[in-house]
Amino acid sequence: MATVSTKTGQEVDRLTLDSMLRRRMFYTPSFEIYGGVSGLYDYGPPGTALIANMTDAWRKHFVLEEDMLEVDCTMLTPHEILKTSGHVDKFADWMCKDPKTGEIFRADHLVEEVLENRLKGDKEARGQKVEVDAEKEAKKKKKSKAAQAVKLDDALVKEYEETLAKIDNFDGPDLEEIIKKYNIRNPATDGEVQPPVAFNLMFQTSIGPSSNMPGYLRPETAQGQFLNFQKLLEYNQQAMPFASASIGKSFRNEISPPCWSVACA
């Protein structure tokens, strides 16, 4: 993770910065008085002003200076559209569950955490210096056991490193095989986890009072731009190339233990 620095180059502690931003109400956890929901945040007055300034600068550069065609499309999308695009079948992450605690994990992140923890313990056992991300380490301490200083076989270290380098390329069966092969367990309880299953990241809803038209909150803003391509081409008098731009919210039901979270972009 990149470090945060001041104009003079002085490094800023991420946890201190986060605390300051919340205290001054740049943003605050949503529904905090009811316990909150992981991943949901409200922007306060300074945060709202900052977003407005960023949006204004973005629009001036891309829409006005670069002459892009701006559109503002609906956030509701019928099932048929996202079925055709592949989102219904493939827009998913792989998750696994600890059957004893009920805790949910995103499978690739679980593999990453456990293997990185083991590699860290190997380096400590070898007397090597271990680089520590303060923010990441603080989060781990809340839910994971400390890395044990255990020296690993050189070949196993190489396997772990190769697995981590390719982690984004693995699907469910691949992750299941890795979890079994390396005995990946719940970092906090050391309990076994169930095989990964696909979890679609879109929020499903129904359009209209009859509930006969299933739909979703859009997972990305670009969908409306693709669907309006022909009309934008006609608006641009059939001239190519051209570019379109869109500002708005998209919704994803992210896997974030110990509860679900929402990513709104």
Side-chain angles (χ1 to χ4, degrees), residues 26-73:
F26 273 83
Y27 73 94
T28 183
S30 303
F31 321 114
E32 190 170 22
I33 61 174
Y34 285 93
V37 178
S38 179
L40 293 180
Y41 297 93
D42 296 332
Y43 293 101
T48 302
L50 177 62
I51 291 174
N53 289 340
M54 292 173 63
T55 301
D56 184 57
W58 186 93
R59 181 175 279 114
K60 284 179 179 178
H61 176 78
F62 289 102
V63 177
L64 299 181
E65 294 183 20
E66 297 295 329
D67 200 26
M68 292 187 179
L69 307 179
E70 184 176 5
V71 293
D72 186 356
C73 304

Side-chain angles (χ1 to χ4, degrees), residues 182-241:
Y182 298 128
N183 192 27
I184 304 295
R185 294 170 171 261
N186 184 332
T189 66
D190 199 38
E192 292 185 359
V193 296
Q194 295 173 337
V197 295
F199 172 73
N200 195 287
L201 302 179
M202 294 190 295
F203 284 96
Q204 188 169 9
T205 184
S206 59
I207 302 173
S210 64
S211 300
N212 290 331
M213 183 182 287
Y216 300 89
L217 295 178
R218 66 182 181 190
E220 53 194 12
T221 57
Q223 201 71 36
Q225 293 169 259
F226 298 147
L227 294 171
N228 283 299
F229 173 82
Q230 183 62 41
K231 293 179 180 179
L232 288 171
L233 180 60
E234 292 172 0
Y235 175 85
N236 205 45
Q237 299 180 354
Q238 304 293 331
M240 290 283 286

Side-chain angles (χ1 to χ4, degrees), residues 146-158:
Q148 296 181 348
V150 177
K151 185 177 179 181
L152 304 174
D153 183 78
D154 290 345
L156 186 58
V157 170
K158 185 176 180 180

